[in-house]
Amino acid sequence: MEVAMALSTKAVTVFATLEALRDNQPDIRYPLATLFEPDLAKFNGGVFDPKALAQEINAQYHLGVTKEVVEGFLPIFEQRGWVKKVVDSGDKTGFIVQCLPTTKIPEELSSFQEAAAKLADEFREFIRQLSPISEVNRTDAELIDGLVDWLLLLDRAGGNKIQKATTHYKVGKKIVLEVPDTFEGGAPSEETFLSARFVEHLFNSGSEHIPFLIELSEVGLVTEVVRDFQRPESAVEKTNLAIYLDAPLAMDFLGLSGKPQRESVTLMFDGIKKAGGSIRIFRESVNEMQASLHAVLSRPVSQRTGPTADALRRREVLEPWVREVAARPERFLAPLGVAVVEETLDMYPHQHKFFTKGAYELLYSQIGWVKDDAARHHDALIATLSFRKRGGTRTADLFEAKHVVVTRNPSFPNLARRIAREQNYIGESHVGPVIHSRQLATAVWLRMGTQNKVEIPRSYILSACRRVLTLRKNIVEKVTEFKETLSEEQAEQLEVLITSDRSAQVLMDKTLGSSNVIDAKNIPTLLEEMRKAQIAEYAQERDAEQAIREQEAQKREADLNALAEEEKKRAELAEADAIANRDKVRGVYERLVETTNRKILRERFIFVAFTTLLVSISALVAFFSQGADPIYGYLAFGIILILGIILHLFSSLGSMFIDPWFKKRDHSNLGRTALEFGLSYDEIFDQVSHNGHEFEIKSE
């Protein structure tokens, strides 16, 4: 008997939440309350503290919920009997937690266990095939937990944590606070890399687990809505929302980051545009995009990293096209419906009060994910300009926010929102100046129709996979650092191999995306694995080309056979048509000859009757004529009668004197009859013969 896989409490809770989401309840907070129940139970018997509960939830799921979000769940907790309202002697109201520490067991637990067991087996086999240079020691339950965690978060990191400055330095006259970078350019964790790589593999292989993976990611997308205080209670059919793209998202939309990213953002932006919204980009972002593209293109091919370099290696974009976009981005943005906004910080003074220059400088000083002054200015500028355009509008509904910047940087929205709150430009539950693309995807997914209910989560998963698996700068730098330990030939091979998508992917697979495992000892091993992968890819390409050539040869042969068969059929049809036509023509000829012969027979009969009558009359006249001696009359009658009989009975005499005339008459009749049939005498003459008294069709 097969033993069911033991799932962690966390996994069981997530599966129970997934099951609750399948019920399609009108308020998505109800199924999500299931996700928070085990953490609430930790406070059983104590006073309900939303801040403490939020910390427990974030420690467990890294969702970044705040105490205000948790307070929004209080009516649901009370309805389910998990908290009880109490009033103290001072008439102050509070709540006592009455939630026992028991895990909600999904009704379909056995099916979840079966799916998890299959996934764990396939995951372990996949890791074995990857064969990374660092050993992966994880139980099946840990593998599933890691996979569930990643699908819940995807590319969201850091939640709503307020980043603390650790150091500061000066850029010109500005004092800049340094915030640790936990996202841009950093290596993914081993767990993140393995999960993303495995999920991409499952999607590429058309695994039976794909619907289950999509459902798990939907749990995470729904938490995004709750975390940002949205209540998707009604569908959105119309909106005047204008979204402003930061440079990386604009590159995604143009396809410069690869196919998965373009498909993901296109689904989002199409939903916005269909509802009446607009897509825009500030000139500053266009300039940043150009600078980014020029930076990639100016490097040697082996030193190129990032999404565009990855797309080039995968041949999803061609370098000449990338160079054209870098030179004239507006030409390619316009067909996508993206308007370029020309605006600077000093323009439109009447809008400055909605986000002052002081607020801009505060935001600028606390941007810690980039060090370059121009990049800091760009991020602070686009947040400032877009927020000013709201004209003081405050709303918790994204589709009523009028103007918002959309980014892939998970730290940017949190910081911009915090600054806006501190300056009292927005309230606790209002939409901030900047949102993450994940939040926009979730809003479109939940509130803009059902046509993309599956495609949006699916495309978002694939784009998140690609971002995790992209060859990173620190990997290339570490490989380059140890390249000097190789022979000249090996170094040249490494230089070439790293430009190939397949060998670059092997490098990422063997290191699990971490440069820390690369050293002088294993660099030859990595080179050999990359070389093997490239040889295998060449062999596959060769085999594929050979298969294509064979298919083309088979197709040509099949086409020739089909052509020959078609020619044969055409010939048979032509022959059949010719026979049918010949038979039809012969039928016409036969009717013509038959008609002519009837005319000939009629003329012959008239002639015979006439001559017979004439002879008979002559004989009668001779017989009854008066004469001295009647014997002579009898004699004349007998002679005439005998001559008539001889003339009719002996054809040789007729042939000699009468047949030539009859033949001429017969041909004359033939010509006249041919005209009646729409033919000429010449057309019919070669097809018939005359036997002396009628016409016949010549034998074929």
Side-chain angles (χ1 to χ4, degrees):
M1 179 178 178
E2 186 176 348
V3 179
M5 177 182 174
L7 298 173
S8 68
T9 300
K10 180 178 180 179
V12 172
T13 302
V14 172
F15 293 156
T17 305
L18 188 157
E19 187 175 71
L21 281 172
R22 290 175 178 173
D23 294 336
N24 294 318
Q25 299 182 42
D27 189 338
I28 59 172
R29 292 177 300 167
Y30 279 86
L32 277 183
T34 304
L35 190 67
F36 303 153
E37 181 183 3
D39 294 308
L40 179 63
K42 296 175 183 178
F43 300 93
N44 185 45
V47 177
F48 176 71
D49 184 348
K51 183 176 180 180
L53 179 55
Q55 290 174 346
E56 283 293 330
I57 293 171
N58 291 333
Q60 185 76 260
Y61 301 106
H62 311 288
L63 297 179
V65 299
T66 64
K67 69 180 184 65
E68 290 81 11
V69 171
V70 172
E71 287 172 347
F73 280 81
L74 189 55
I76 301 174
F77 293 162
E78 186 178 12
Q79 180 183 340
R80 293 187 176 182
W82 296 347
V83 296
K84 181 181 179 180
K85 183 185 291 187
V86 294
V87 180
D88 62 13
S89 57
D91 292 333
K92 291 184 178 180
T93 302
F95 291 88
I96 298 296
V97 178
Q98 294 182 333
C99 185
L100 296 176
T102 57
T103 304
K104 170 70 175 176
I105 304 299
E107 295 179 3
E108 299 181 14
L109 178 60
S110 60
S111 64
F112 285 128
Q113 287 176 319
E114 182 181 351
K118 288 182 178 179
L119 273 172
D121 288 342
E122 292 184 28
F123 203 167
R124 190 166 297 285
E125 174 59 22
F126 180 72
I127 293 173
R128 189 191 66 78
Q129 292 177 3
L130 282 188
S131 184
I133 56 179
S134 59
E135 188 176 359
V136 178
N137 291 314
R138 279 180 172 76
T139 65
D140 288 354
E142 288 172 337
L143 288 174
I144 294 302
D145 279 354
L147 186 61
V148 169
D149 274 347
W150 186 75
L151 287 168
L152 287 181
L153 292 173
L154 290 181
D155 56 354
R156 182 176 64 199
N160 269 339
K161 288 183 179 179
I162 297 177
Q163 294 176 305
K164 303 294 184 181
T166 56
T167 59
H168 68 273
Y169 57 94
K170 294 184 70 175
V171 177
K173 296 181 180 180
K174 296 185 179 71
I175 296 178
V176 178
L177 302 179
E178 177 67 14
V179 183
D181 174 17
T182 58
F183 175 73
E184 295 292 339
S189 67
E190 178 182 288
E191 191 174 75
T192 295
F193 184 89
L194 285 173
S195 296
R197 188 71 172 88
F198 180 53
V199 168
E200 184 184 59
H201 161 73
L202 292 178
F203 273 85
N204 290 341
S205 60
S207 170
E208 62 178 325
H209 302 299
I210 291 175
F212 183 52
L213 299 177
I214 291 175
E215 283 189 307
L216 285 172
S217 73
E218 289 173 354
V219 175
L221 288 176
V222 170
T223 63
E224 186 77 30
V225 176
V226 174
R227 187 175 70 94
D228 287 289
F229 307 98
Q230 300 179 54
R231 299 290 183 269
E233 298 171 356
S234 60
V236 174
E237 296 181 357
K238 292 291 181 181
T239 182
N240 62 352
L241 179 66
I243 63 175
Y244 298 81
L245 309 181
D246 72 349
L249 262 187
M251 293 168 69
D252 288 353
F253 198 21
L254 286 166
L256 293 164
S257 304
K259 183 179 178 182
Q261 280 87 339
R262 180 171 188 175
E263 290 178 349
S264 179
V265 297
T266 298
L267 285 172
M268 292 189 292
F269 298 157
D270 283 352
I272 295 294
K273 289 190 288 186
K274 286 177 182 177
S278 57
I279 315 297
R280 305 176 185 178
I281 185 171
F282 287 109
R283 170 60 63 185
E284 198 79 13
S285 298
V286 174
N287 295 340
E288 185 177 76
M289 179 175 68
Q290 287 182 284
S292 176
L293 292 175
H294 286 309
V296 171
L297 295 171
S298 64
R299 297 184 202 133
V301 177
S302 61
Q303 299 298 312
R304 292 175 179 175
T305 57
T308 300
D310 192 54
L312 285 167
R313 270 192 298 273
R314 292 174 182 265
R315 302 172 191 171
E316 292 176 344
V317 291
L318 300 178
E319 185 165 330
W321 184 79
V322 176
R323 291 188 180 278
E324 284 191 37
V325 177
R328 292 179 293 175
E330 298 92 338
R331 175 186 173 190
F332 298 90
L333 288 167
L336 296 177
V338 181
V340 178
V341 179
E342 308 280 355
E343 194 168 332
T344 65
L345 192 64
D346 297 327
M347 293 174 66
Y348 308 113
H350 66 285
Q351 295 180 353
H352 290 190
K353 62 183 177 181
F354 301 117
F355 203 96
T356 65
K357 189 171 183 181
Y360 154 80
E361 291 177 346
L362 182 61
L363 176 58
Y364 169 90
S365 67
Q366 296 192 31
I367 290 175
W369 47 87
V370 288
K371 293 182 179 180
D372 180 68
D373 182 63
R376 289 173 181 269
H377 167 69
H378 164 268
D379 290 355
L381 177 69
I382 64 174
T384 300
L385 296 181
S386 67
F387 193 75
R388 283 177 176 178
K389 292 179 181 297
R390 291 189 192 178
T393 297
R394 297 182 175 209
T395 179
D397 190 334
L398 172 62
F399 295 107
E400 295 178 1
K402 295 184 180 179
H403 301 271
V404 69
V405 171
V406 183
T407 181
R408 283 200 283 102
N409 181 346
S411 301
F412 192 10
N414 301 330
L415 178 59
R417 181 185 183 129
R418 177 170 65 81
I419 297 297
R421 282 169 53 193
E422 289 175 353
Q423 300 299 310
N424 200 31
Y425 296 140
I426 60 173
E428 178 64 37
S429 63
H430 295 152
V431 178
V434 182
I435 64 170
H436 193 275
S437 60
R438 178 188 173 100
Q439 182 181 345
L440 180 64
T442 304
V444 173
W445 170 60
L446 286 176
R447 301 183 64 189
M448 286 190 161
T450 59
Q451 66 271 23
N452 292 323
K453 283 295 186 185
V454 174
E455 285 306 312
I456 286 181
R458 178 191 182 95
S459 65
Y460 204 88
I461 291 172
L462 290 174
S463 65
C465 288
R466 179 63 65 85
R467 281 191 286 276
V468 171
L469 303 176
T470 295
L471 181 63
R472 296 173 184 267
K473 184 179 180 181
N474 56 352
I475 296 283
V476 174
E477 288 177 345
K478 199 66 172 288
V479 168
T480 304
E481 177 185 342
F482 289 107
K483 190 172 66 173
E484 297 177 357
T485 63
L486 302 172
S487 67
E488 183 178 348
E489 182 181 356
Q490 288 177 319
E492 290 177 355
Q493 288 179 356
L494 183 60
E495 192 82 9
V496 173
L497 288 171
I498 209 166
T499 65
S500 165
D501 169 52
R502 181 71 187 98
S503 53
Q505 186 61 66
V506 167
L507 176 60
M508 292 291 286
D509 289 345
K510 297 300 179 183
T511 61
L512 299 182
S514 173
S515 62
N516 295 331
V517 300
I518 302 174
D519 56 33
K521 293 181 180 179
N522 58 34
I523 194 71
T525 303
L526 289 172
L527 173 62
E528 181 60 20
E529 292 296 332
M530 293 168 68
R531 192 181 65 82
K532 287 180 180 178
Q534 194 61 51
I535 292 173
E537 184 177 46
Y538 286 153
Q540 289 176 355
E541 290 179 353
R542 185 185 63 247
D543 293 343
E545 291 174 358
Q546 180 62 29
I548 291 173
R549 284 195 294 270
E550 291 176 358
Q551 289 176 357
E552 290 175 346
Q554 292 173 358
K555 186 177 182 301
R556 283 195 298 272
E557 185 178 356
D559 290 344
L560 289 174
N561 291 337
L563 183 62
E565 187 66 23
E566 188 176 346
E567 288 292 337
K568 181 181 178 182
K569 288 182 179 179
R570 279 202 295 266
E572 291 175 350
L573 287 173
E575 184 179 358
D577 289 342
I579 292 173
N581 188 58
R582 187 172 64 244
D583 291 344
K584 182 178 179 180
V585 172
R586 186 176 180 84
V588 172
Y589 290 165
E590 287 176 348
R591 290 196 300 276
L592 188 151
V593 168
E594 183 180 350
T595 302
T596 303
N597 286 340
R598 283 200 299 270
K599 291 180 179 181
I600 293 173
L601 180 61
R602 188 165 56 248
E603 285 189 354
R604 296 287 176 93
F605 175 78
I606 292 172
F607 175 78
V608 170
F610 177 76
T611 54
T612 301
L613 181 60
L614 180 62
V615 170
S616 299
I617 291 172
S618 299
L620 289 173
V621 169
F623 181 76
F624 291 106
S625 62
Q626 297 179 357
D629 191 351
I631 190 64
Y632 295 110
Y634 295 144
L635 182 60
F637 169 75
I639 292 171
I640 292 172
L641 184 60
I642 290 169
L643 287 174
I645 293 170
I646 292 172
L647 182 64
H648 285 289
L649 292 179
F650 297 97
S651 60
S652 59
L653 295 175
S655 300
M656 183 181 301
F657 299 103
I658 299 173
D659 282 356
W661 179 79
F662 269 126
K663 186 174 182 180
K664 185 176 180 181
R665 286 289 305 165
D666 292 347
H667 280 277
S668 178
N669 277 325
L670 179 65
R672 287 195 297 272
T673 305
L675 291 175
E676 294 174 5
F677 277 77
L679 301 172
S680 66
Y681 174 78
D682 293 336
E683 288 180 272
I684 192 64
F685 178 76
D686 292 334
Q687 306 298 325
V688 300
S689 60
H690 194 272
N691 61 9
H693 56 84
E694 65 179 359
F695 287 104
E696 295 177 345
I697 300 294
K698 290 181 179 179
S699 300
E700 295 182 2

